[in-house]
Amino acid sequence: MDGINIKAPYCKGLLALLATLFISGCESTPKPNELEDNYPDVTIAPALLAQKDFQRVVRHPPRYPRAMAEAGTMGCASVELVLSPDYRLLQLRVVEQSTPEFGQAAFDSVRRWHWGSVTEGLLTETTKTITRMNFCLEDGSGRCPQAITDNCPGSDVLNSIGYKIRG
C-alpha cells in the first residue's frame, strides 16, 4: 500500500504544538476590561438608556456568576457602549468592575440586548453611554437589599439579583 506513514511520536509532538498555540491564542485575547477606547472623542450621554425613548431596548439583566453567589459576593460592573445612529453596537467595554466575574457577566449581558424596537432617528450621531450593573443577593424584597458602594460609574442602572448558593 502506497501512502504516507507518520510515526506516532511525530503526531504527538504536532498535537502538543497545536494545543500550545491554541491555548496561548486564547490567553492573548483581550478581556472586556482590557479593550482600548476606539472612540475617545465621543462624549458620554449620561443615562441615555434610562430615558423614556429607549425603554423599548430589550435589556437582559446579567446572569449572576455562580462562583460569586456561592461566595456571597455582591458588587458591580460598568460597561461603556458606543452606538451608531442606527443602533449598531460599535464598541463595548467594561470600564469598572468590583470583580472580573461581574465585569464578564455585564459584558455578556449587553451583547444579548435587542435594539430593534427603538424608534428610528433618536440618535443623530455616534453616541457613548455607560450602564452600571449591580449584583446583589436576594433578601426577599425582590430588590437589591442595600446600595452597592463600589466605584462603578453610571446613572443608568440595571440590577442582577442572585441567590446565595451553598457549594
Side-chain angles (χ1 to χ4, degrees):
M1 186 160 41
D2 291 335
I4 299 173
N5 185 6
I6 300 175
K7 304 281 184 195
Y10 174 76
C11 287
K12 288 180 185 177
L14 182 61
L15 287 175
L17 176 65
L18 290 174
T20 302
L21 288 173
F22 177 75
I23 291 170
S24 65
C26 291
E27 290 175 358
S28 66
T29 302
K31 295 184 171 94
N33 62 324
E34 296 173 345
L35 299 172
E36 72 178 77
D37 186 359
N38 294 320
Y39 297 88
D41 297 331
V42 176
T43 57
I44 294 175
L48 176 74
L49 300 179
Q51 295 175 12
K52 182 181 178 188
D53 291 334
F54 287 93
Q55 294 303 304
R56 291 181 160 185
V57 176
V58 179
R59 301 194 311 162
H60 303 284
R63 292 188 178 107
Y64 209 102
R66 182 176 181 90
M68 299 293 98
E70 287 175 349
T73 303
M74 295 193 288
C76 64
S78 293
V79 290
E80 179 184 87
L81 299 82
V82 178
L83 300 167
S84 69
D86 62 351
Y87 310 116
R88 282 182 299 116
L89 188 59
L90 301 175
Q91 177 176 282
L92 172 62
R93 61 190 198 112
V94 176
V95 293
E96 191 63 53
Q97 60 190 0
S98 50
T99 71
E101 293 85 355
F102 290 148
Q104 186 67 53
F107 184 87
D108 292 343
S109 171
V110 174
R111 291 178 51 206
R112 294 190 321 267
W113 290 3
H114 299 283
W115 301 85
S117 300
V118 180
T119 305
E120 288 184 36
L122 295 176
L123 297 179
T124 57
E125 60 187 12
T126 299
T127 305
K128 185 184 289 187
T129 191
I130 294 177
T131 296
R132 174 188 169 111
M133 299 191 192
N134 290 329
F135 294 84
C136 54
L137 294 171
E138 212 278 326
D139 70 348
S141 71
R143 296 175 301 166
C144 282
Q146 64 188 42
I148 304 296
T149 58
D150 294 343
N151 294 323
C152 297
S155 51
D156 170 41
V157 179
L158 191 59
N159 292 323
S160 175
I161 302 173
Y163 298 90
K164 180 138 172 107
I165 300 172
R166 302 204 195 293

